[in-house]
Amino acid sequence: MSSSIEARTINEEKLMNFLGKVVGDFGAALSSTLAYIGQRLGLYQAMAGAKPMTPAELAERTGTTERYVREWLINQAAGGYVEYDPESERYSLSPEQAVALTDEDSPFYVGGGFYVIKAMSQAQPRIMDAFKNGGGMLWGEHDPDLFIGTAKFFRPGYTAHLVAEWIPALTGIEERLKTGGRVADVGCGHGASTIIMAKAFPNSRFYGYDNHEASIKRAREAAKESGVDDRVTFEVSSADSIPEVEGGYDLIAFFDCLHDMGDPVGACKRAYETLAEDGSVMIVEPMAGDTVEENFHAIGRTFSAASTLCCTANSLALGGPALGAIAPEKALRETVMAGGFKEFRRATETPFNRVFEARR
Ligand SMILES: C[S@@+](CC[C@H](N)C(=O)[O-])C[C@H]1O[C@@H](n2cnc3c(N)ncnc32)[C@H](O)[C@@H]1O
């Protein structure tokens, strides 16, 4: 001990436990870079459903260098991302690892997260500067893997819950969309949510809006690829000035974006103005607690980090209120009510999302 104060106050067991946790975090942080490499180079894909293989076999299959692959596989096995059989000295993916790491259509796919982590880590110099000097960083200023990763990361949750649970939890909206309604998807990004809804409700019309031009371009391509471009249009538009449609929108959706915005009250006001008679606004927000300490778990840790590096920074760059990714329900309710709405309720939730409904 370097001082008598430390000798009196430090509990060795607590210190060792804490250091063990930090070392685990070192491994996790570095390994997420290797998981990103695995995603990009198709290393997991090559192992999914294949027989156990040696590093040389995996390298040959993926056109990569054996020496790096050998080291990568040890890291992956140490982290529980792949299985290792010491007898045959071969590596494999279990069905569970394969689905989570390679199957983009599965609700359990997590590969997009590694793109997000890679991109957000690169924002560190800008964000550190903002800690000291104020200001922020716009969504569109991030590494492009943020946009790709966000779409990949959120799509599985939308596939699993949006049509089956979230829309039915709203007041009379499912029926309107079945017969033919109008839907605005505000802050739509690459349009994953818009396209999922358009596939499920072919009689309805869908309008995706985002103020990030590159995302709208990608969303248009995705709509064509999915064969829904007859009923979906994507336009560059800020949330506070989305175009009106005749009869108003039956549903206006904000997926994981209201808390990012520079003017979330303005976005809610515009939703209020453009909503159809008896229409609903669906606001999907990350799961978060109502008190600070309710966020002290793995999900709260992840969302508060993403919020610091991205969501809060986008709003602050625009002089906004910076609701942040872990905005408590009270702050979201006040924002929506300030937009003119009279009703606001939590319609449903999943372990990762809160789904709110606002009505006039
Ligand atoms: C975290 S991403 C979510 C994208 C998409 N909704 C999804 O769930 O995959 C937030 C999106 O909100 C968009 N956004 C932020 N502020 C906006 C504003 N004022 N008007 C329109 N879009 C906005 C960003 O460009 C970005 O695409």
Side-chain angles (χ1 to χ4, degrees), residues 291-346:
T291 63
V292 165
E293 61 274 21
E294 282 176 79
N295 297 303
F296 296 167
H297 44 67
I299 294 174
R301 190 183 186 197
T302 304
F303 286 159
S304 56
S307 187
T308 313
L309 292 167
C310 178
C311 315
T312 295
N314 183 68
S315 188
L316 288 180
L318 297 163
L323 288 168
I326 49 167
E329 181 167 335
K330 181 173 176 288
L332 295 166
R333 175 189 298 274
E334 284 168 7
T335 303
V336 170
M337 294 303 201
F341 290 91
K342 300 283 176 297
E343 290 176 33
F344 178 86
R345 70 179 180 102
R346 191 181 298 213

Side-chain angles (χ1 to χ4, degrees), residues 232-277:
V232 179
T233 51
F234 288 106
E235 294 296 334
V236 175
S237 173
S238 184
D240 53 11
S241 57
I242 61 166
E244 278 181 52
V245 292
E246 213 184 313
Y249 301 104
D250 298 286
L251 172 65
I252 301 180
F254 293 84
F255 291 95
D256 199 62
C257 60
L258 189 68
H259 66 263
D260 289 326
M261 291 185 179
D263 182 11
V265 171
C268 291
K269 279 187 179 150
R270 188 61 186 155
Y272 185 92
E273 287 163 7
T274 54
L275 197 63
E277 188 78 15

Side-chain angles (χ1 to χ4, degrees), residues 1-2 17 20 23 45-46 52-53 55 62 71 104 107 139 145 164 169 197 242 272 285-286 300 336 343 358:
M1 292 297 152
S2 60
N17 285 343
V23 172
Q45 285 290 353
M53 54 183 96
T62 52
E71 220 70 0
E104 294 202 28
W139 174 259
D145 269 337
M197 291 189 286
I242 61 166
Y272 185 92
E285 282 287 312
V336 170
E343 290 176 33

Side-chain angles (χ1 to χ4, degrees), residues 139 150-151 154 158 185-189 193 209-212 215 237-239 255-257 260-262 314:
W139 174 259
T150 299
F154 285 132
Y158 301 154
D185 187 350
V186 182
C188 63
S193 48
Y209 301 116
D210 201 291
N211 62 1
H212 182 233
S215 287
S237 173
S238 184
F255 291 95
D256 199 62
C257 60
D260 289 326
M261 291 185 179
N314 183 68

Side-chain angles (χ1 to χ4, degrees), residues 109-183:
Y109 176 69
V110 290
F114 301 110
Y115 288 70
V116 171
I117 294 168
K118 177 258 188 176
M120 286 189 179
S121 304
Q122 295 195 11
Q124 170 269 321
R126 287 282 306 272
I127 301 303
M128 197 166 79
D129 180 72
F131 266 73
K132 293 184 76 172
N133 301 312
M137 181 172 180
L138 293 171
W139 174 259
E141 293 178 315
H142 281 271
D143 179 283
D145 269 337
L146 183 60
F147 322 131
I148 296 168
T150 299
K152 280 181 186 283
F153 187 65
F154 285 132
R155 197 164 72 94
Y158 301 154
T159 304
H161 304 291
L162 173 50
V163 172
E165 295 157 32
W166 297 351
I167 290 175
L170 306 174
T171 313
I173 298 301
E174 188 180 22
E175 276 316 305
R176 290 166 87 145
L177 299 194
K178 276 185 184 160
T179 50
R182 294 164 299 271
V183 179

